[in-house]
Amino acid sequence: MSAGLRAATALAVLLGVLTAAAPSAAAHTDLVASTPQPGATVDTLDEIRLQLETSLQRDGRHVIRLLGPDGAQWDNGQTRAVADRELLAGAAPALPRQGEYTVRWCAVTADGHVQSGAYKFSYAGPTSATARPPGRTSDGGGCEVPSWGGAAALTGWLLVGVIAAAVLFLAASALLRRRVSPDHGERTGG
Amino acid sequence: MVRSIRGAALAVLAAALTACSGQAGGDPAPGGTGMGGMNMGDPDAVPAEQVPGAEVAGGRFELLGTAPQGYQGVAGTAALARHGSGSTVTIELRGLKPGTRFISHVHEGRCEEGGVAHYKFDPAGGDMPPNEIHLAFVSTPEGTGYMTAENDKTAGPDARSVVVHPSEFTDNRIACAPLS
Ligand SMILES: [Cu+2]
């Protein structure tokens, strides 16, 4: 496969992803219930438990991230499906401060779709000055938690990808043109 | 083949650069933020209260326990007009975080129940417009928000409330207004 074709393929794939991802990024999530609840103020925070509307893939790469007011990761990095429609992740044994924490999650449903969502809640329990983020993650990879700006940001990143692919393709095709003589150059693509 | 792909790549690049420069100001323009041409509202549409010959239902937004911090002062109204050419929903809010993206949906549950699930015209259909009514908007620097969404079907009795969420934290329900 020529560099130009490869770049074109990458471009096509990215465009496909962009088209497919855009509507779902704006879609509502199907979180039915959770601990802690969105907007709640809690005094203890041992785990994050999410109950979803849809059956989950048994061994799907589900992710729950707990982010502190400082933006650091305070979950234990071990999200797992504990029931057909329930996800669980542990929190760090100690937390550094009270304030508004964020849960970001994504889950792979039994039919292969990715659901994602995010919410804030407040933590008003005990704190420890020596608390350190677990900093290790064994989950993830299969689905992606919305990291910043939600739907708008996702579009932004995809846009960056598309631009990169377009630039790459233009560069590759320019290179191709220079190397291949005009008689053959335009025919290599089929 | 190669030439046409290159043309497409150039077009993508041009379009992407245009879109990027449009967002470079940082502040998203107020108004509809629908994606992929999906109907997420039109701030210039005739508001629900002014649709001629319509049957209008609505009420005031109340803060929900599922709101994140910073929305204690949220207030406003929602109205649903059922008329000959379908449905019109208009929301008006104040006390929002300024310059922030929000998404609202017509829900099927009452506000006392937190709104429960989204209202769907076809219960077996999809979870995006036009099978649901969504209103996307960006709050002004003063923390107000306004949007109207139209749908060519007439909403049934199960369209009971409007719920507002921050777009970045869709699982947080900020406020709810009854539609009856
Ligand atoms: Cu909603």
Side-chain angles (χ1 to χ4, degrees), chain A residues 28, chain B residues 103-107 114 116-118 134 162-165 170 172-173:
Chain A
H28 203 56
Chain B
I103 180 82
S104 309
H105 315 105
V106 172
H107 281 240
V116 197
H118 291 181
H134 294 194
V162 176
V163 175
V164 183
H165 317 249
T170 46
N172 282 112
R173 299 181 178 200

Side-chain angles (χ1 to χ4, degrees), chain A residues 28-33 37-40 53 118-120, chain B residues 62-68 71 74 102-103 105-111 113-118 161-166 169-176:
Chain A
H28 203 56
T29 67
D30 67 355
L31 186 71
V32 171
Q37 277 191 353
E53 203 175 69
Y119 67 87
K120 290 186 177 189
Chain B
E62 302 275 3
L63 180 71
L64 292 172
T66 44
Y71 288 95
V74 72
F102 294 91
I103 180 82
H105 315 105
V106 172
H107 281 240
E108 64 176 17
R110 270 179 259 279
C111 289
E113 312 163 287
V116 197
H118 291 181
S161 59
V162 176
V163 175
V164 183
H165 317 249
F169 304 101
T170 46
D171 298 326
N172 282 112
R173 299 181 178 200
I174 300 170
C176 181

Side-chain angles (χ1 to χ4, degrees), chain B residues 38-49:
Chain B
M38 192 122 14
N39 176 9
M40 307 288 262
D42 172 7
D44 299 323
V46 177
E49 298 87 342

Side-chain angles (χ1 to χ4, degrees), chain A residues 48 50 57-67 73-82 87-91 103-108 134-145:
Chain A
I48 302 111
L50 307 179
Q57 224 170 62
R58 210 193 178 98
D59 302 313
R61 297 285 190 93
H62 317 291
V63 181
I64 296 175
R65 285 285 88 86
L66 172 66
L67 305 170
Q73 182 188 329
W74 292 96
D75 57 86
N76 67 358
Q78 292 168 28
T79 308
R80 58 186 207 279
V82 288
L87 286 183
L88 178 72
V103 170
R104 294 188 186 280
W105 61 270
C106 69
V108 186
R136 243 196 305 155
T137 331
S138 59
D139 56 23
C143 63
E144 207 166 319
V145 291

Side-chain angles (χ1 to χ4, degrees), chain A residues 5 8 11 15 22-23 25-29 31 38-40 99-100 102 104-105 117-120 122 147-152 155 159 162-163 166-167 169-170 173-174 177 186 188-190, chain B residues 1-3 5-10 12-13 16-17 19-20 23 35-36 38 40 65-70 97 101 103 105 107 116-118 127-128 132 134 165 167-173:
Chain A
L5 256 176
L11 177 66
L15 274 173
H28 203 56
T29 67
L31 186 71
E100 209 167 24
T102 298
R104 294 188 186 280
W105 61 270
Y119 67 87
K120 290 186 177 189
S122 299
S147 55
W148 54 275
T155 313
L159 220 63
V162 171
I163 295 169
V167 167
F169 173 75
L170 288 171
S173 74
R177 286 201 130 204
E186 294 301 332
T188 49
Chain B
M1 167 69 179
V2 170
R3 187 178 288 163
I5 294 176
R6 190 166 49 228
L10 267 172
V12 164
L13 197 57
L17 286 175
C20 278
Q23 291 179 341
M35 302 171 76
M38 192 122 14
M40 307 288 262
T66 44
Q69 288 179 18
K97 283 190 181 167
R101 285 174 190 273
I103 180 82
H105 315 105
H107 281 240
V116 197
H118 291 181
D127 59 2
M128 293 302 287
E132 294 189 355
H134 294 194
H165 317 249
S167 294
E168 194 184 350
F169 304 101
T170 46
D171 298 326
N172 282 112
R173 299 181 178 200

